[in-house]
Amino acid sequence: MGTALRGAQLARLLGHWHSLPGRRRSPDYAALAGAVRGLLADGRLPLGVRLPAERELAESLRVSRTTVSAAYGQLRDSGHLTSRRGAGSWTTLPPGHRVASSGLWTPVDDLDLLDLGCAALPAPPELVGAAQAAVEKLPRYLGGAGYHPVGLGELREAVAAGYAARGLPTTADQIMITNGTQHALDLVLRLLVPGGAGVLVESPTYPNALAALAARRARVTTHGLGADGWDAELLVGTIRQSRPALAYLIPEFQNPTGHLMSADLRERVVLAAQAAGTDLVVDESFVDLSLAGAPMPPPVAAFDRRSRVVSIGGVSKPYWGGLRIGWVRASAPTVQRLAAARVGVDMASPVLDQLVAVELLARAAGIVAARRRALTDQRDALVAAVRAELPEWRCTVPTGGVTLWMELDGPVSSALSRAAERLGVRLAPGPRFGLDGTLERFLRLPYTLPAPALVDAVGRIAAARYDLEYAPAQDWAAPQVFA
Ligand SMILES: Cc1ncc(COP(=O)(O)O)c(C=O)c1O
């Protein structure tokens, strides 16, 4: 998305902004302003974007210019829009709000909010011991300048050993350490995706990957996931026929659906990518978080004979996002090219954090086992609560990862998220995981909070769903509605 939106683009993002099923209608201008606030709150509409002129948007939405004018006026009053005569209107962060780690907006004072917008765990108790051990090792590095563009040798060795343990022989020179998986993706896209190149992603997919692709001005197409995951014939056929420059896939406990790609499809996708000249980027963020105890399929790169697969991963999901340590596994020459690209971006990752990661990886068995136990209990508590409170909702219970992808009882995800916010629950609505306002029938629910908090959150979500159906319109469209 650029810095100016056309009327038709905003209309597409807004989707069914004024016709929520079963609700008494609020005035069109208030519903329009509420829908724009919703897009801003869940990150689909970035800050600093110029909105279409009133007349253009009115034409695209087939409403009167007075309606758009009044909606823009309300957005200006609430601080979501700043206008300059003759120049246009830009989206802005209202006073008293900040951008949260998930990219969603949140009130500054949100301590009581149950945050189901972000799918990440708090740090494990072993982190402090790992950090202390890392500090002990730090003097070894203090004599040098501290810049290691491909990462510390000992961390690269440890990550390579992790791949070898998964059945994929890997040398340290095939590993580059980054500041998290997202940074790894951004660097890989800089190297492999020229502006305007075609990129295939799953739908739904990880929203920050879509943001990274938008920054590269990639031409994104999607492969839709169903209740059972990937459609093998369609995925392989799409790669062979549309020959994207790159495909970005999350084969292990896909975010947000939780699906695990079979070994057979992994092999077929690699063969198709090789035949099509497509670079395959596999995001292995959740690979350690299998909850089923069954053996995992081989890594996608295990089927790669022509260095077409780039694997990215990191410590955020099994250990802690606050460390900002991730990595790329690629051919040694690609690693060198990535390191060269990095010099113009961030130069290198922090030495101390890399040492903490080495210590955590050395303690992996105990930490990951505890993570899996906690996540299994939390997943089961969340599934049971949803079944009890919202029996019409459906999902395929995932065998790993940290999220449920719920199919709702109607296309109400954005409206429900806005209503839940007022009851103290932050949600990431379905459309955030796709392009152009689709996926309104879906909602991602992470099970990264403790079980009692999840049960509490589901109670509030069920109340919000009820309100959406039956509460008087003016009540839920009140101007103080957050974002
Ligand atoms: C699929 C996927 N990739 C990347 C990331 C970002 O990971 P990191 O914190 O390592 O940058 C996430 C975090 O939620 C994710 O779900």
Side-chain angles (χ1 to χ4, degrees):
M1 198 178 295
T3 51
L5 267 191
R6 308 294 310 167
Q9 287 174 299
L10 183 53
R12 250 198 325 275
L13 277 176
L14 285 164
H16 298 289
W17 58 274
H18 63 356
S19 56
L20 288 169
R23 284 189 51 240
R24 242 174 54 207
R25 286 180 56 167
S26 49
D28 275 356
Y29 78 89
L32 178 56
V36 171
R37 281 195 295 269
L39 291 176
L40 284 163
D42 69 31
R44 277 178 280 162
L45 198 53
L47 292 175
V49 165
R50 184 146 62 89
L51 293 193
E54 290 173 4
R55 186 188 305 278
E56 185 189 341
L57 184 59
E59 277 169 19
S60 300
L61 295 176
R62 299 208 177 88
V63 296
S64 73
R65 183 168 169 187
T66 325
T67 299
V68 177
S69 224
Y72 278 17
Q74 202 183 71
L75 289 166
R76 268 191 297 277
D77 291 346
S78 59
H80 292 82
L81 207 60
T82 301
S83 303
R84 243 190 11 249
R85 190 177 292 279
S89 300
W90 284 264
T91 54
T92 40
L93 192 66
H97 288 74
R98 63 183 172 84
V99 178
S101 56
S102 52
L104 308 178
W105 294 17
T106 187
V108 172
D109 170 24
D110 68 346
L111 292 181
D112 294 333
L113 201 70
L114 289 166
D115 190 355
L116 269 59
C118 182
L121 291 158
E126 292 86 346
L127 194 107
V128 171
Q132 281 162 346
V135 169
E136 297 291 314
K137 280 189 178 171
L138 188 60
R140 287 191 216 159
Y141 291 92
L142 297 180
Y147 298 103
H148 303 267
V150 288
L152 296 189
E154 56 184 303
L155 181 54
R156 297 171 80 200
E157 294 283 356
V159 173
Y163 280 101
R166 289 170 57 205
L168 180 61
T170 301
T171 53
D173 63 356
Q174 288 176 270
I175 303 294
M176 168 175 173
I177 304 303
T178 62
N179 300 323
T181 315
Q182 180 69 18
H183 178 227
L185 176 63
D186 183 66
L187 282 176
V188 169
L189 296 181
R190 281 169 194 265
L191 195 68
L192 300 180
V193 179
V199 174
L200 180 69
V201 302
E202 294 138 340
S203 176
T205 189
Y206 175 52
N208 294 349
L210 291 175
L213 287 164
R216 304 306 317 148
R217 304 208 176 283
R219 217 167 14 86
V220 179
T221 52
T222 55
H223 169 75
L225 300 183
D228 298 324
W230 299 263
D231 179 320
E233 298 309 320
L234 202 60
L235 176 57
V236 168
T238 305
I239 293 173
R240 283 186 188 274
Q241 277 155 30
S242 66
R243 297 175 169 272
L246 185 142
Y248 167 77
L249 301 175
I250 312 171
E252 286 94 12
F253 313 119
Q254 202 260 357
N255 185 1
T257 63
H259 291 302
L260 177 64
M261 189 183 279
S262 69
D264 178 58
L265 183 54
R266 289 168 190 240
E267 179 164 25
R268 293 181 63 194
V269 166
V270 172
L271 290 176
Q274 285 173 351
T278 296
D279 287 310
L280 206 52
V281 176
V282 291
D283 184 330
E284 304 182 319
S285 287
F286 298 93
V287 69
D288 291 322
L289 298 180
S290 166
L291 308 183
M296 289 287 286
V300 171
F303 300 102
D304 182 25
R305 304 275 172 273
R306 298 200 207 146
S307 300
R308 277 248 98 104
V309 177
V310 174
S311 312
I312 59 176
V315 301
S316 293
K317 299 301 163 177
Y319 306 99
W320 193 44
L323 274 181
R324 309 310 309 136
I325 293 291
W327 49 78
V328 179
R329 179 197 183 276
S331 68
T334 301
V335 164
Q336 290 307 323
R337 288 168 63 210
L338 284 167
R342 175 186 209 170
V343 166
V345 182
D346 71 324
M347 299 170 71
S349 294
V351 171
L352 184 56
D353 300 50
Q354 292 185 73
L355 290 174
V356 178
V358 170
E359 296 299 323
L360 286 173
L361 290 175
R363 296 159 172 73
I367 299 175
V368 171
R371 284 292 200 219
R372 289 174 175 170
R373 278 195 301 276
L375 284 168
T376 305
D377 291 348
Q378 289 164 203
R379 177 197 61 187
D380 294 347
L382 180 60
V383 169
V386 174
R387 283 193 180 138
E389 300 268 0
L390 291 148
E392 291 172 11
W393 290 14
R394 300 271 170 268
C395 80
T396 305
V397 177
T399 56
V402 300
T403 54
L404 301 184
W405 183 240
M406 297 302 317
E407 182 169 3
L408 312 184
D409 54 328
V412 297
S413 195
S414 296
L416 179 66
S417 302
R418 292 199 290 277
E421 187 93 32
R422 290 187 313 149
L423 300 184
V425 182
R426 153 70 44 79
L427 295 174
R432 192 167 148 68
F433 301 86
L435 300 169
D436 288 348
T438 54
L439 304 172
E440 275 291 1
R441 288 191 73 87
F442 294 90
L443 177 67
R444 185 187 75 172
L445 292 180
Y447 38 90
T448 41
L449 296 180
L454 292 171
V455 172
D456 181 0
V458 171
R460 297 191 207 191
I461 294 167
R465 180 69 190 101
Y466 181 89
D467 281 359
L468 210 56
E469 203 73 37
Y470 301 110
Q474 63 273 26
D475 188 12
W476 103 279
Q480 69 271 25
V481 167
F482 153 67

